[in-house]
């Protein structure tokens, strides 16, 4: 057989190892050790599996898993942008699109196209699957901050209204998860947000 | 609504954060930085997605993803056992079963049962899904060692026959992946294995 497809796939698998070196602002639960994008992506996949029943709309868990597993790969080239960074546009920037093209196109064409489309769907956040994936992606660092006495919210002195505003994607995917996290945030001491 | 199920699920999500602190013997590609179980699990999920077409038997990718995402959670209690450790039994030990019971039972009963059964299926390695999941689990550190001039094989002076013997689960899941990795290993300089 031809190993051409396999070689392309292994090249991709090798390249995405770099996700483990992209460090996020958020720390592990009850810890000051900041986590990397690969750890974050694994945790999102576990959350998507365990919290499926709280999605407000019918979802395809396998597609949500794929989305959360690949959603941060563009950061290998484009870097992690902190959610509360006011200097940079966190939306689908040209830099991220170029990264998606470079990284996913290491794969055979059919797989590259599937992943690029899935990544765009996640970024746009309009389908049921993307809404739930985005809800989980916002919920994870919120839970980490809650366990760390406000975490990055406290560290960067983000006010309560801004925190709740930035977490709105949770509400778009799951009212239950939103109500839970909103209640928990409002219980934090006033000086933490 | 009752938040009982959600509280159990969040307790589990919080607990499994510890997977990020379980350090494996294997290092990242072309690196001496050892990786942790969460990073490894994420990479396996990506490999399961990308290499599906090389499975020798019909598989359900969503089930394989679930298996590889949860397969190492027992190591939170039982610790990582190096594949070539001759002092310890790497098979399904009582310690790992106790760990599975403790960790998965943090979840609501239906989810705990599903995950425990899936983990046992993975450990037994007899179904098509489990065979492919196990193949990927052995392939990953083999690729890492290949990129690191023999990596743990060289470090612990494992002979070639033992290396190939321990990697047999790859052959049980995919002849293509097995032939690729066997060829690559045989190309290593003699003093590395």
């Amino acid at each position: 057989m031809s190993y051409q497809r396999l070689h392309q796939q292994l090249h991709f698998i090798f390249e995405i190892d770099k996700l483990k070196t992209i460090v996020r602002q958020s720390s592990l639960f009850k810890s000051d050790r900041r986590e990397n994008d690969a750890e974050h992506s694994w945790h999102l996949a576990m959350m998507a599996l365990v919290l499926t029943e709280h999605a407000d709309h019918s979802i395809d868990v396998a597609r949500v898993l794929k989305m959360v597993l690949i959603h941060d790969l563009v950061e290998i080239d484009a870097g992690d942008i902190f959610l509360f960074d006011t200097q940079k546009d966190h939306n689908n920037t040209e830099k991220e699109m170029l990264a998606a093209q470079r990284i996913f196109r290491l794969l055979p064409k059919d797989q590259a196209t599937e992943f690029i489309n899935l990544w765009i769907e996640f970024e746009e956040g309009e389908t049921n699957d993307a809404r739930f994936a985005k809800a989980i992606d916002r919920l994870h660092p919120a839970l980490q901050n809650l366990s760390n006495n406000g975490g990055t919210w406290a560290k960067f002195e983000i006010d309560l209204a801004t925190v709740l505003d930035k977490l709105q994607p949770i509400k778009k995917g799951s009212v239950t998860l939103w109500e839970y996290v909103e209640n928990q945030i409002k219980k934090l001491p006033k000086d933490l947000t």
Side-chain angles (χ1 to χ4, degrees), chain A:
Chain A
M1 69 163 281
S2 154
Y3 280 116
Q4 199 196 339
R5 282 181 66 89
L6 180 57
H7 284 147
Q8 290 175 292
Q9 290 157 341
L10 292 177
H11 186 183
F12 174 79
I13 286 162
F14 192 99
E15 178 69 17
I16 65 174
D17 204 44
K18 294 174 184 163
L19 198 67
K20 299 166 191 168
T21 66
I22 310 294
V23 179
R24 294 165 55 79
Q25 289 291 343
S26 306
S27 296
L28 303 190
F29 289 115
K30 285 196 184 293
S31 167
D32 57 7
R33 200 274 265 169
R34 285 164 66 183
E35 78 172 348
N36 65 57
D37 270 350
E39 296 170 322
H40 165 64
S41 300
W42 168 77
H43 222 141
L44 292 197
M46 289 302 304
M47 290 170 72
L49 277 184
V50 166
L51 300 175
T52 314
E53 70 200 58
H54 304 296
D56 285 338
H57 309 278
S58 167
I59 57 164
D60 176 339
V61 183
R63 291 189 84 246
V64 175
L65 285 180
K66 285 188 195 184
M67 275 185 202
V68 298
L69 287 168
I70 68 164
H71 81 293
D72 269 345
L73 285 175
V74 294
E75 296 188 356
I76 288 173
D77 287 359
D80 180 51
I81 296 178
F82 183 45
L83 183 60
F84 297 96
D85 190 329
T86 53
Q87 302 304 308
K88 290 180 187 163
D89 180 8
H90 193 73
N91 293 323
N92 190 350
T93 60
E94 191 162 342
K95 204 171 174 187
E96 287 190 337
M97 181 56 85
L98 285 172
Q101 303 287 346
R102 184 191 74 77
I103 295 163
F104 292 124
R105 285 192 178 160
L106 297 174
L107 286 167
K109 199 172 172 187
D110 56 316
Q111 293 184 311
T113 303
E114 184 199 347
F115 281 176
I116 289 171
N117 288 340
L118 210 54
W119 174 74
I120 292 172
E121 182 180 333
F122 172 83
E123 286 293 313
E124 291 177 347
E126 295 304 328
T127 65
N128 289 351
D129 294 341
R131 283 161 74 135
F132 192 62
K134 275 200 172 286
I136 296 292
D137 186 34
R138 290 292 159 94
L139 179 63
H140 185 222
L143 294 176
Q144 291 172 318
N145 280 347
L146 283 166
S147 83
N148 287 322
N149 294 319
T152 58
W153 304 325
K155 181 178 174 188
F156 297 102
E157 299 179 331
I158 318 289
D159 65 82
L160 179 62
T162 306
V163 167
L164 294 177
D165 181 57
K166 288 285 188 185
L167 297 179
Q168 286 301 305
I170 302 176
K171 198 175 184 178
K172 275 186 76 178
S174 167
V175 169
T176 303
L177 296 177
W178 168 252
E179 286 177 354
Y180 171 82
V181 85
E182 186 186 30
N183 277 333
Q184 296 299 311
I185 290 170
K186 287 184 173 170
K187 280 185 202 163
L188 281 176
K190 282 277 171 272
D191 59 325
L192 290 181
T193 57

